[in-house]
Amino acid sequence: MSRLHKFAQAPIIVVVSAVVAFAQTSARDYRRAHEHQILTEFTRLLAIPNVASDRENIRRNAQFIFEMMQRRGLNPQLLEAKSKDTPPTVFGEWKAPGATHAIVLYAHYDGQPVDPKQWTASPPFQPTWRSAAFESGGKIVTLPDNGEINPEWRLYARAASDDKAGVMAILTAFEALRAQDIGPSLNLKFIFEGEEEAGSPRDQNVDVTVYGAKRPLHSGHYGNWAPNPAMLLARLLASMKDDTGRVTIAGWYDGVESLGEAERRAISEAPAYDDELRSQLGLARTEGNDRSLLEVINEPSLNINGMSSGDVGPLARNVIPTTATAVLDLRLVKGTDHQRQVQRLIDHIRKQGFYVIDQDPTDAERKQHALIAKVTARSGGYNAERTRMDWPISIAVIGAVQSTSKDPIVKLPTSGGSLPLAIITDHLRTTTMTVPIANYDNNQHAENENLRLQNLWDGIETWAAVMMIRPKF
Amino acid sequence: MSRLHKFAQAPIIVVVSAVVAFAQTSARDYRRAHEHQILTEFTRLLAIPNVASDRENIRRNAQFIFEMMQRRGLNPQLLEAKSKDTPPTVFGEWKAPGATHAIVLYAHYDGQPVDPKQWTASPPFQPTWRSAAFESGGKIVTLPDNGEINPEWRLYARAASDDKAGVMAILTAFEALRAQDIGPSLNLKFIFEGEEEAGSPRDQNVDVTVYGAKRPLHSGHYGNWAPNPAMLLARLLASMKDDTGRVTIAGWYDGVESLGEAERRAISEAPAYDDELRSQLGLARTEGNDRSLLEVINEPSLNINGMSSGDVGPLARNVIPTTATAVLDLRLVKGTDHQRQVQRLIDHIRKQGFYVIDQDPTDAERKQHALIAKVTARSGGYNAERTRMDWPISIAVIGAVQSTSKDPIVKLPTSGGSLPLAIITDHLRTTTMTVPIANYDNNQHAENENLRLQNLWDGIETWAAVMMIRPKF
């Protein structure tokens, strides 16, 4: 997803005018005339591996985007952190004559880790077109040399959606406006960063490891006697939620800031798509006794990303494993504090009888404690943000996005992506809004990530419209 | 471990005589004079990969053992099953003049699957000597060209203990007796087979998979809404045991045959080594409220071999996984039936609300059932056996083994290894006894399997003594 934020929360009046609609039409015309050129640039970008820990390639991504911005006259700079291990941020700007305010346009160029074995559709960094979603039987197709491209086609690659689509849509929208000499009405600042998915700070992930014997034991000789860490972990995890999916950790939902009037209305106005989604995902029932997704996403969550002990499949052996590990992610909402939330988790683990440490136990610790859990938070984490929907800048952006669609747009008070919103809000003293453009079934964060082409086309128009908002201060 | 069994359960009277002690001394003398030759042959055997599914190499093992037996004058045959995929059984025999009964000596030459990545000491099929256990800081050492070898050294390789040590000890014991022209008192039959660890039938393993959404979902967008299969599996597994490790599946302990007087005495006479074992394994407490290992091993067990959902470690991503899988092993004891036990497990899973199937769910099944578990038993399984300790043949073998040690030997009514004992008992109408020779900390079934050299030396003497029992019928 791509996001934008507006400097300063000063009340502004926005006129969603004919100019916005004009921007959208212009962007469409330009895109139609340049589809092949746009997609050539996009697939070259997607072919550069972008896992944040791959230092060499992540810099190649930054360099490629730097050159994209040079071609568009954006005077880019590569902003380096103190540590050379930190991916550079690519910064650029465009000054509107006489403008005194700016919109900052943000997207990230790094992607989630990949396990190539799991990419059954095509390799993650070999951008591949399919006639439809792989899961629906879409076949591999070749881009025609010229002529219009079927907008239902899917482009498969890591970050095709999350979030190189954002980089591409933003820069193409700007290019389209400038090519037709249409001037954005505010100053524009572009920030594309490379450690959203894996950098620090990031999502609040917590690794939990519990321990059995120091060496793997033959299950026939030691079963009924040696504690099995997989079972200890299962019991621990099971203690964290009830059978409706509600988190049972004490205080988990404390402090959550209630939604305002505008936010509650936005949720009630959104189309009810839970049944359709359940059907597509093959789920007979969802958590929270089938409460709507738009509602439950406004509550803090606790999710298991992964769980592992010993081996399954052909490598499974008749052993009692030595350890069992789960990776949890803690999603926050406005009003919850990340440190307090991690502390509540640790307190809960202690309450289940575990001695909690942050490294592997020593022999002395093993002697003293029957239940030991290593609990480590992957990074400092940060808190959740929510921008009020009834502020003028919110109304302006909503209006611009709405102008690109005949159907009513869906407005969500809270979205699940964990971005450095809190940092932006705190450091730049401004507020943020998220404008997602990818298809809902894009497999982001998973194997076989993809983008539906029409979503990129729509995204370009949406961003062009947003760049043309004309607030009156 | 290597095992033996005696044809026919007819009462026999055994004289544990000076002959047995003589056999032991002779075996020791022979071994001392041939240590290098024995270990050269053994390391060549260990260097042949022996995972049962590796059809080509498993046959190389059989051929190697065939030649070992040829060199010892045992007239070996490779017994082939109907299917060429079944590893051959190597059979040989030696006839004692005038003997009317036979002892069958059994060991298996296949080993448990290996994941080379996990073999941190040395690769599984590159036999490597260490000065002590790897976990205790043992360093890699080279076998001296001649002279005595430190018997505390360890030999690292898959099957170094389980069960090529059995093959080696049995054949070397026979070789030692024959080299000194000492005639075993009974006919001997040798059976070395190649599908104990992975063939069919084998341990009763059951794979359980539970399901979430059909595709992995971004945990930020779908947390609190989409069921997480890792959590569903954790809850299901947690329902199977109480916090002392007792299985809570209805009927799990029904039908277990009680121990007899001799067996109860054997357990009470065995040295109490639970505290020492707990200390070495780094366990402050064991299951069953610290009941003794020798006692609890006589009860049926339920163990988790492995558990997996999504990814942990560097590949972990902020997703809700699509499935979660556990591999369970069900250890049986005398009186429990393997099919009934699997059925009890399935009934329990149903009682937790799961719809149980034996393949991945269809869309129609997903629509109808919120909780779905795929449950598959890995093979037909077989029941447990227990030979009474007060039978004459038992007394004879116990006496022979005891004669090789100044310390009282430990006699266990039940051992954890799942061997084809039931098949032997049923088809040959005989009874079985197990004579383990490996060190207790051998990592069998796990990575870094090893054998302490002195255990091989003792094993040779033990088997020589067993071959010399002189029952009177």
Side-chain angles (χ1 to χ4, degrees):
Chain A
M1 268 171 298
S2 19
R3 295 89 191 171
L4 101 176
H5 77 276
K6 169 67 194 69
F7 279 145
Q9 296 184 8
I12 49 173
I13 299 161
V14 176
V15 182
V16 179
S17 63
V19 178
V20 166
F22 174 62
Q24 183 213 344
T25 315
S26 305
R28 184 175 305 173
D29 291 345
Y30 180 83
R31 180 265 295 175
R32 283 190 171 148
H34 297 84
E35 287 192 353
H36 287 266
Q37 174 194 321
I38 295 166
L39 294 177
T40 300
E41 192 177 43
F42 190 34
T43 49
R44 282 178 58 208
L45 174 60
L46 291 175
I48 310 173
N50 70 335
V51 177
S53 57
D54 178 355
R55 296 306 175 200
E56 192 174 329
N57 276 314
I58 208 80
R59 286 192 170 268
R60 288 180 57 217
N61 279 278
Q63 182 60 33
F64 190 92
I65 294 167
F66 178 89
E67 287 162 16
M68 287 172 76
M69 290 166 78
Q70 270 187 327
R71 285 195 287 276
R72 287 157 176 87
L74 285 170
N75 305 313
Q77 304 169 47
L78 286 180
L79 305 181
E80 296 284 355
K82 276 179 203 149
S83 161
K84 275 287 163 198
D85 281 347
T86 304
T89 293
V90 198
F91 178 79
E93 52 188 333
W94 188 84
K95 288 190 188 299
T100 52
H101 289 73
I103 298 175
V104 180
L105 304 149
Y106 165 95
H108 61 90
Y109 61 82
D110 63 319
Q112 284 269 316
V114 293
D115 179 359
K117 281 196 308 295
Q118 297 182 7
W119 284 67
T120 47
S122 46
F125 299 113
Q126 189 175 303
T128 303
W129 290 96
R130 286 188 177 266
S131 56
F134 177 61
E135 294 85 353
S136 314
K139 299 284 174 249
I140 290 179
V141 287
T142 311
L143 216 55
D145 284 339
N146 46 51
E148 211 180 343
I149 300 154
N150 186 336
E152 291 303 324
W153 283 12
R154 304 272 179 133
L155 181 52
Y156 279 78
R158 168 59 85 224
S161 273
D162 183 13
D163 187 25
K164 287 180 175 175
V167 176
M168 198 66 210
I170 289 170
L171 290 180
T172 308
F174 177 77
E175 173 189 346
L177 294 180
R178 292 308 303 144
Q180 297 174 78
D181 208 23
I182 302 168
S185 47
L186 292 167
N187 293 331
L188 302 180
K189 291 172 193 283
F190 300 80
I191 293 182
F192 301 120
E193 61 118 338
E195 57 169 7
E196 195 271 341
E197 299 289 11
S200 170
R202 45 163 285 167
D203 304 323
Q204 188 68 37
N205 289 105
V206 176
D207 289 25
V208 179
T209 298
V210 302
Y211 298 84
K214 285 164 76 173
R215 54 188 176 82
L217 298 171
H218 186 298
S219 58
H221 297 323
Y222 293 92
N224 285 343
W225 187 84
N228 185 309
M231 183 57 87
L232 298 179
L233 183 65
R235 295 177 61 83
L236 176 59
L237 294 172
S239 75
M240 295 180 186
K241 284 194 166 187
D242 70 16
D243 63 4
T244 70
R246 181 128 185 121
V247 179
T248 49
I249 295 173
W252 198 255
Y253 301 98
D254 289 358
V256 173
E257 204 170 280
S258 307
L259 296 177
E261 170 61 25
E263 288 75 25
R264 283 199 302 273
R265 197 170 53 238
I267 289 178
S268 71
E269 281 171 7
Y273 60 93
D274 285 66
D275 284 344
E276 169 64 15
L277 207 50
R278 269 189 286 269
S279 166
Q280 287 198 15
L281 294 171
L283 296 169
R285 205 165 65 207
T286 43
E287 291 189 342
N289 294 320
D290 289 345
R291 280 168 67 207
S292 93
L293 175 56
L294 297 187
E295 193 182 332
V296 298
I297 209 162
N298 291 290
E299 294 174 358
S301 72
L302 177 71
N303 175 60
I304 305 173
N305 292 152
M307 180 169 81
S308 177
S309 182
D311 284 296
V312 300
L315 284 177
R317 285 142 299 147
N318 291 315
V319 294
I320 303 173
T322 53
T323 60
T325 297
V327 180
L328 305 177
D329 74 74
L330 283 58
R331 294 281 172 170
L332 308 170
V333 296
K334 184 78 176 167
T336 51
D337 176 76
H338 66 96
Q339 283 169 329
R340 214 160 48 210
Q341 212 71 337
V342 171
Q343 191 54 50
R344 284 168 180 154
L345 174 66
I346 291 175
D347 291 346
H348 177 85
I349 296 173
R350 287 211 176 98
K351 219 183 290 175
Q352 309 308 306
F354 284 84
Y355 171 67
V356 175
I357 45 181
D358 61 3
Q359 50 194 7
D360 287 333
T362 62
D363 285 354
E365 286 171 324
R366 280 177 166 278
K367 210 174 208 81
Q368 215 177 336
H369 304 280
L371 298 172
I372 299 178
K374 177 171 74 174
V375 181
T376 50
R378 288 202 174 193
S379 77
Y382 41 76
N383 292 334
E385 285 299 322
R386 191 165 67 223
T387 296
R388 288 184 59 156
M389 284 185 174
D390 54 3
W391 278 342
I393 183 66
S394 308
I395 294 168
V397 171
I398 290 167
V401 176
Q402 180 63 74
S403 75
T404 64
S405 170
K406 278 176 213 136
D407 299 319
I409 63 166
V410 178
K411 307 179 285 291
L412 307 181
T414 303
S415 163
S418 61
L419 302 151
L421 302 185
I423 300 175
I424 294 172
T425 312
D426 293 350
H427 287 250
L428 303 183
R429 284 175 300 121
T430 185
T431 188
T432 61
M433 271 168 276
T434 302
V435 181
I437 63 171
N439 39 304
Y440 75 98
D441 59 348
N442 62 357
N443 293 341
Q444 70 182 103
H445 286 206
E447 55 275 15
N448 302 336
E449 179 174 351
N450 67 86
L451 180 72
R452 176 175 160 268
L453 184 54
Q454 185 63 48
N455 283 68
L456 179 62
W457 297 159
D458 290 346
I460 294 168
E461 295 174 27
T462 301
W463 281 108
V466 169
M467 288 174 194
M468 295 300 288
I469 57 169
R470 299 200 165 187
K472 278 191 189 156
F473 296 93
Chain B
M1 267 172 297
S2 18
R3 295 91 192 169
L4 102 175
H5 78 273
K6 168 71 193 65
F7 278 146
Q9 296 185 7
I12 50 174
I13 298 162
V14 176
V15 181
V16 178
S17 63
V19 177
V20 166
F22 174 62
Q24 185 213 342
T25 316
S26 306
R28 185 175 302 173
D29 292 344
Y30 180 84
R31 181 265 296 176
R32 283 191 172 149
H34 297 83
E35 286 192 354
H36 286 267
Q37 173 194 322
I38 295 167
L39 294 178
T40 300
E41 193 177 42
F42 190 33
T43 48
R44 283 178 58 209
L45 174 59
L46 291 174
I48 310 172
N50 71 335
V51 177
S53 57
D54 178 356
R55 296 304 176 201
E56 194 174 327
N57 276 313
I58 207 79
R59 286 193 169 267
R60 289 180 55 218
N61 279 279
Q63 182 61 34
F64 190 92
I65 294 167
F66 178 88
E67 288 161 16
M68 286 172 76
M69 291 167 76
Q70 268 186 328
R71 285 194 288 275
R72 287 158 175 86
L74 285 170
N75 304 315
Q77 303 168 46
L78 286 179
L79 306 181
E80 296 283 355
K82 275 180 204 150
S83 162
K84 275 287 163 199
D85 281 346
T86 304
T89 292
V90 198
F91 178 79
E93 53 187 333
W94 187 84
K95 287 190 188 299
T100 53
H101 287 74
I103 297 176
V104 180
L105 304 149
Y106 164 94
H108 61 91
Y109 61 81
D110 63 320
Q112 284 269 314
V114 292
D115 179 359
K117 280 195 311 295
Q118 297 182 6
W119 284 68
T120 47
S122 46
F125 299 113
Q126 188 177 304
T128 302
W129 290 95
R130 284 188 178 265
S131 56
F134 176 62
E135 293 86 351
S136 313
K139 300 284 173 248
I140 290 179
V141 286
T142 313
L143 217 54
D145 285 341
N146 47 52
E148 211 180 342
I149 299 155
N150 185 336
E152 291 303 325
W153 283 10
R154 305 271 178 131
L155 182 52
Y156 279 79
R158 168 58 86 224
S161 273
D162 182 13
D163 187 27
K164 286 180 175 176
V167 176
M168 198 66 212
I170 289 171
L171 290 180
T172 307
F174 176 78
E175 173 188 346
L177 294 179
R178 293 305 305 140
Q180 298 173 78
D181 208 23
I182 303 168
S185 48
L186 292 167
N187 293 332
L188 302 180
K189 293 173 192 282
F190 301 80
I191 293 182
F192 302 119
E193 62 118 337
E195 56 168 7
E196 195 270 343
E197 299 290 9
S200 170
R202 44 163 285 169
D203 304 322
Q204 188 68 37
N205 289 104
V206 176
D207 289 23
V208 179
T209 298
V210 301
Y211 298 83
K214 286 164 76 173
R215 53 186 176 82
L217 298 171
H218 186 298
S219 57
H221 298 324
Y222 292 93
N224 286 343
W225 187 85
N228 185 308
M231 183 58 87
L232 298 179
L233 183 65
R235 295 178 61 84
L236 176 59
L237 294 171
S239 75
M240 295 180 185
K241 284 194 167 187
D242 69 17
D243 61 6
T244 71
R246 180 127 187 121
V247 180
T248 49
I249 295 173
W252 198 254
Y253 300 99
D254 289 359
V256 173
E257 206 169 278
S258 308
L259 297 177
E261 171 59 25
E263 289 74 25
R264 282 200 303 273
R265 198 170 51 238
I267 290 178
S268 70
E269 282 171 6
Y273 60 93
D274 286 66
D275 283 343
E276 169 64 15
L277 207 50
R278 269 189 286 268
S279 166
Q280 286 198 15
L281 294 172
L283 297 169
R285 205 165 65 207
T286 44
E287 292 189 343
N289 294 320
D290 289 345
R291 280 168 67 207
S292 92
L293 175 56
L294 297 187
E295 193 182 332
V296 297
I297 209 162
N298 291 291
E299 294 174 357
S301 71
L302 177 72
N303 176 59
I304 306 173
N305 292 151
M307 180 168 82
S308 177
S309 182
D311 284 295
V312 301
L315 284 177
R317 285 143 299 147
N318 292 315
V319 293
I320 303 172
T322 55
T323 62
T325 296
V327 181
L328 305 177
D329 75 74
L330 283 58
R331 294 280 171 171
L332 307 169
V333 296
K334 185 78 176 168
T336 51
D337 177 76
H338 67 95
Q339 282 169 330
R340 214 160 47 210
Q341 211 72 337
V342 171
Q343 192 55 50
R344 284 169 179 151
L345 174 66
I346 291 174
D347 290 347
H348 177 85
I349 296 173
R350 287 210 176 98
K351 220 184 288 175
Q352 308 309 307
F354 284 85
Y355 171 68
V356 175
I357 46 181
D358 61 4
Q359 49 193 6
D360 287 334
T362 62
D363 284 353
E365 285 170 325
R366 281 177 165 276
K367 210 175 208 79
Q368 216 176 335
H369 305 280
L371 298 173
I372 300 178
K374 177 171 74 173
V375 181
T376 51
R378 286 202 174 193
S379 78
Y382 42 74
N383 291 335
E385 284 300 323
R386 190 165 66 221
T387 296
R388 287 182 60 154
M389 284 187 174
D390 54 2
W391 278 342
I393 183 66
S394 308
I395 294 167
V397 171
I398 290 168
V401 176
Q402 179 63 74
S403 75
T404 65
S405 170
K406 280 177 212 135
D407 299 320
I409 63 165
V410 179
K411 309 180 283 291
L412 307 182
T414 303
S415 163
S418 60
L419 302 151
L421 303 185
I423 300 174
I424 293 172
T425 313
D426 293 351
H427 287 249
L428 303 182
R429 284 175 300 119
T430 184
T431 188
T432 61
M433 270 167 278
T434 301
V435 180
I437 63 170
N439 39 304
Y440 75 99
D441 58 348
N442 61 357
N443 293 342
Q444 70 180 107
H445 284 208
E447 55 276 15
N448 302 336
E449 179 173 351
N450 67 88
L451 180 70
R452 176 175 160 268
L453 183 54
Q454 186 62 47
N455 282 68
L456 180 62
W457 297 158
D458 291 345
I460 293 169
E461 295 173 27
T462 302
W463 281 107
V466 169
M467 288 175 194
M468 293 301 288
I469 57 170
R470 297 201 165 184
K472 279 191 186 152
F473 297 92

